Amino acid sequence: SQVQLWYGGAHELEMAGLLVALANDMGLIGLALLTILLYMRVFFGGWRLALLASLQIFLSLPFMYWIVTVPFGQTELAAFAGASLWVVLGVSADNIFVICETWGQSTQLVRSGRPASPAERLTWTVRQAGAP
C-alpha cells in the first residue's frame, strides 16, 4: 500500500480529491460513449449514422466548453458550470432522436397530391424538430 502526502492545507487536499474523482470519472466517459455508439448502431441500423450521431454528441462538449470560457470569460469553472456541460451533452443526444423520428414521420408528407421530395422532407423535418 502506498501513502500519499499532500501539503498546502485543506484547499490543496480538497483539490486533490476532486482531481482524483475527475480522473476516475474520465474512464467512465469512454465507457458511456462506447455504450451510446452501440445503442445508436442498433437504433439507426447502420454504422454511418451511429458514428455521425456519436461524433455530434462528443463534439458538443468541447464546443460548449469554448462558449463558456471564451465569450463568457469563465476561466475557472465551478462544479455547477461543469455539470451544466453534461446537461448540454444530454440535450444534444436527445436532439438526435427527435430529428431521426421526425424524419421518419416525413415519409407521410404529401405536397400537391404527390409524395414530398427529399428537400421538402428535410425542410419540414428541420422546422418540426426545431419548433418548441
Side-chain angles (χ1 to χ4, degrees):
S1 135
Q2 187 178 18
V3 175
Q4 294 182 349
L5 295 176
W6 299 95
Y7 297 99
H11 178 68
E12 186 174 325
L13 186 59
E14 184 178 304
M15 282 302 294
L18 183 61
L19 290 175
V20 167
L22 182 61
N24 291 335
D25 288 348
M26 293 305 278
L28 294 175
I29 290 174
L31 180 62
L33 287 174
L34 178 63
T35 304
I36 289 169
L37 175 64
L38 294 175
Y39 179 79
M40 296 239 183
R41 165 60 176 91
V42 171
F43 182 81
F44 290 122
W47 284 108
R48 191 172 103 198
L49 281 177
L51 288 170
L52 288 173
S54 297
L55 182 65
Q56 186 251 330
I57 293 170
F58 181 72
L59 290 178
S60 68
L61 189 60
F63 179 69
M64 186 61 191
Y65 179 78
W66 180 85
I67 288 175
V68 169
T69 57
V70 176
F72 293 117
Q74 296 292 322
T75 56
E76 292 185 20
L77 292 180
F80 182 74
S84 69
L85 295 175
W86 296 111
V87 171
V88 169
L89 193 77
V91 169
S92 180
D94 184 56
N95 288 341
I96 292 168
F97 296 109
V98 169
I99 290 172
C100 182
E101 290 298 319
T102 307
W103 175 256
Q105 293 172 5
S106 73
T107 60
Q108 305 298 317
L109 194 61
V110 175
R111 299 283 189 215
S112 303
R114 60 171 179 74
S117 70
E120 291 169 329
R121 288 179 59 201
L122 183 60
T123 300
W124 182 84
T125 297
V126 171
R127 285 189 179 148
Q128 286 296 113

